[in-house]
Amino acid sequence: FYFILPKFENFWAVVLFSAIIYGLSHFYFKWPFMLYAFLGGIILWWVMGTYGPIAVISVHSLANILDLSVGFRKLLHTKL
């Protein structure tokens, strides 16, 4: 899977920039979820680099399924 990812000199700058964009793309869930999405974006980059694209898709899908079934966003809104 490493041939898919180009070798960036500023790897962490790319990770942080994309995680910020990923967090901002969840703005409609308010700031706490944006923070969780930002941190999740960093974790997803690690998963991508370690296990590849299928694992990232699986982890993100599992997170969405858990959110839809358990309702993490509802818990965030009731506690904040």
Side-chain angles (χ1 to χ4, degrees):
F1 297 111
Y2 294 106
F3 66 90
I4 296 172
L5 295 174
K7 302 294 183 200
F8 295 109
E9 286 185 23
N10 298 326
F11 176 77
W12 285 107
V14 173
V15 169
L16 291 176
F17 178 74
S18 65
I20 289 169
I21 298 299
Y22 186 69
L24 290 174
S25 70
H26 292 82
F27 73 96
Y28 46 87
F29 296 123
K30 307 289 188 238
W31 71 267
F33 197 81
M34 288 172 56
L35 178 63
Y36 292 131
F38 168 74
L39 296 174
I42 293 173
I43 292 169
L44 289 176
W45 261 102
W46 174 80
V47 171
M48 175 67 178
T50 305
Y51 300 107
I54 301 299
V56 171
I57 293 168
S58 300
V59 169
H60 191 278
S61 298
L62 180 63
N64 288 342
I65 290 169
L66 286 173
D67 182 41
L68 290 172
S69 62
V70 176
F72 292 118
R73 282 178 276 163
K74 290 178 188 174
L75 294 173
L76 284 175
H77 286 284
T78 57
K79 290 185 178 186
L80 297 175

